[in-house]
């Protein structure tokens, strides 16, 4: 059983008042939402107007200042730029210009590049043997190449013109050079008939082969008398006989790598040779 007395039933009047109160509340909420929407729209309009105003003012300011720099100001700015460019590379050293043409290294042959004898050596093998004929007499010659001679010629041939200046007879020296210079680095051969006889000895006068440009040539020789006519152009090297551990040509190649930076090779010879004191006797 259900006791209906415990359930209160609203009468008709109270129900009508409740409906009327809810209607007023709904109207007030709608009015409040409308006011908020109007305020938001107004704020957005003000914000948009403010941004547009700032853009217009900024554009007018740029137009008013465009081209306002005076010619003197532009000239000053341009001059300042040039000064910066001028001093931008002040730390780079000034290098003297070298001759475009290759300078020439004259090399002695016997005891500088090879050692030759009419008897075969006992302590080591020969590199090649020749038979030369001089005044109808055939003579055997046993030739030993100085260690590193092929590499030496190839290295200096990259930066210099290489020539051989020997006091040997052409019948002998030409055959040696044919076998020695397999890569054809040597571009000139001068023999005994190109030497100058001084008191019964042979000197090599570089002025006859270098003309007036003595600063572009050096002569490597184991005999100081060979370059006695131009001692500033001479580079002395220890004579080679039978030392198969000899490294003088490699030291000389390093020396010529340094000489290549000099305008006058005589300056290089005087300033750099002390670094290679084992090359100089």
């Amino acid at each position: 059983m259900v006791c209906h007395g415990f359930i209160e039933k609203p009468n008709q009047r109270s129900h009508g008042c409740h409906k009327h109160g809810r209607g007023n509340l709904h109207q007030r909420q709608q009015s409040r939402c409308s006011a908020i929407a109007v305020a938001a729209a107004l704020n957005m309009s003000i914000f948009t107007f403010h941004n547009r105003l700032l853009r217009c003012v900024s554009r007018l300011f740029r137009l008013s200042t465009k081209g306002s720099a005076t010619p003197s100001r532009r000239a000053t700015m341009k001059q300042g730029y040039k000064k910066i460019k001028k001093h931008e590379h002040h730390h780079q050293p000034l290098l003297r210009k070298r001759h475009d043409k290759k300078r020439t290294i004259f090399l002695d042959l016997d005891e500088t590049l090879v050692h030759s004898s009419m008897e075969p050596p006992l302590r080591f093998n020969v590199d090649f043997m020749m038979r030369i004929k001089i005044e109808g007499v055939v003579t055997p010659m046993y030739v030993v190449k100085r260690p590193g001679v092929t590499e030496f010629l190839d290295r200096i041939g990259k930066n210099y013109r290489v020539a051989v200046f020997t006091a040997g007879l052409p019948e002998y020296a030409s055959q040696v050079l044919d076998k020695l210079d397999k890569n054809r680095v040597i571009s000139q051969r001068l023999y005994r008939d190109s030497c100058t006889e001084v008191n019964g000895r042979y000197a090599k006068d570089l002025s006859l082969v270098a003309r007036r440009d003595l600063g572009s040539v050096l002569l490597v020789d184991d005999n100081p008398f060979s370059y006695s006519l131009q001692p500033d152009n001479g580079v002395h090297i220890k004579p080679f006989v039978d030392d198969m551990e000899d490294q003088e040509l490699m030291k000389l190649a390093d020396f010529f790598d340094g000489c290549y930076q000099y305008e006058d090779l005589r300056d290089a010879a005087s300033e750099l040779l002390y670094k290679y004191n084992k090359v100089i006797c």
Side-chain angles (χ1 to χ4, degrees):
M1 293 179 63
V2 178
C3 182
H4 295 284
F6 292 101
I7 300 175
E8 183 179 359
K9 293 183 179 179
N11 56 25
Q12 189 69 23
R13 181 179 295 180
S14 62
H15 181 70
C17 292
H18 181 70
K19 289 177 63 178
H20 180 72
R22 286 194 301 176
N24 292 336
L25 178 61
H26 181 67
Q27 290 178 356
R28 288 196 300 271
Q29 288 177 348
Q30 286 182 344
S31 299
R32 184 179 299 174
C33 290
S34 299
I36 293 174
V38 171
L42 182 61
N43 288 336
M44 181 62 67
S45 299
I46 294 173
F47 179 76
T48 302
F49 174 76
H50 183 261
N51 285 340
R52 289 180 179 177
L53 180 62
L54 288 178
R55 286 198 296 268
C56 291
V57 172
S58 177
R59 185 177 300 173
L60 290 174
F61 178 78
R62 288 197 301 268
L63 291 175
S64 63
T65 57
K66 185 177 181 180
S68 61
T70 61
S72 59
R73 173 63 177 171
R74 291 196 188 98
T76 303
M77 293 171 63
K78 188 175 182 181
Q79 184 180 6
Y81 175 75
K82 285 185 177 180
K83 287 182 179 179
I84 293 174
K85 294 289 286 185
K86 181 178 180 181
H87 296 287
E88 184 177 0
H89 304 290
H90 69 279
H91 60 281
Q92 295 182 356
L94 296 177
L95 300 177
R96 289 193 299 173
K97 293 182 179 179
R98 293 186 294 100
H99 295 299
D100 292 335
K101 65 179 182 179
K102 282 189 175 182
R103 279 80 62 82
T104 303
I105 304 299
F106 289 95
L107 302 171
D108 176 46
L109 181 59
D110 290 300
E111 278 63 63
T112 296
L113 301 180
V114 299
H115 173 71
S116 301
S117 62
M118 292 183 290
E119 298 292 334
L122 299 177
R123 295 193 302 166
F124 46 84
N125 296 326
V126 298
D127 289 293
F128 53 88
M129 190 270 290
M130 309 179 306
R131 296 184 182 275
I132 60 173
K133 185 176 182 180
I134 300 176
E135 297 180 354
V137 179
V138 178
T139 304
M141 295 296 295
Y142 300 89
V143 181
V144 179
K145 297 190 295 185
R146 192 167 199 161
V149 62
T150 301
E151 181 182 352
F152 169 73
L153 292 175
D154 290 340
R155 279 184 61 180
I156 66 172
K158 294 177 181 178
N159 294 324
Y160 299 93
R161 177 176 173 267
V162 181
V164 166
F165 200 166
T166 176
L169 295 174
E171 293 85 351
Y172 153 76
S174 61
Q175 290 192 51
V176 174
L177 293 175
D178 288 342
K179 295 182 178 295
L180 182 67
D181 186 25
K182 294 295 185 180
N183 296 330
R184 298 296 183 264
V185 177
I186 299 170
S187 60
Q188 185 180 12
R189 302 177 181 184
L190 300 174
Y191 305 108
R192 182 177 296 180
D193 55 359
S194 297
C195 295
T196 301
E197 189 172 354
V198 179
N199 297 326
R201 303 174 67 183
Y202 295 107
K204 300 170 183 178
D205 190 352
L206 295 177
S207 65
L208 300 179
V209 293
R211 305 298 178 181
R212 298 179 181 178
D213 191 11
L214 287 175
S216 64
V217 297
L218 287 178
L219 170 62
V220 179
D221 206 304
D222 67 293
N223 183 4
F225 188 81
S226 296
Y227 48 81
S228 59
L229 298 178
Q230 293 90 22
D232 292 338
N233 295 85
V235 178
H236 192 267
I237 188 171
K238 290 168 56 176
F240 167 70
V241 179
D242 57 2
D243 182 9
M244 302 312 295
E245 301 298 325
D246 183 279
Q247 294 295 316
E248 300 306 306
L249 290 180
M250 292 299 96
K251 298 172 186 176
L252 197 60
D254 294 337
F255 165 73
F256 282 127
D257 287 343
C259 287
Y260 185 67
Q261 306 300 323
Y262 285 75
E263 176 74 15
D264 193 316
L265 290 180
R266 292 170 294 186
D267 294 338
S270 62
E271 293 180 16
L272 295 181
L273 277 176
Y274 74 93
K275 295 182 180 179
Y276 304 91
N277 54 3
K278 291 185 179 181
V279 176
I280 308 172
C281 293

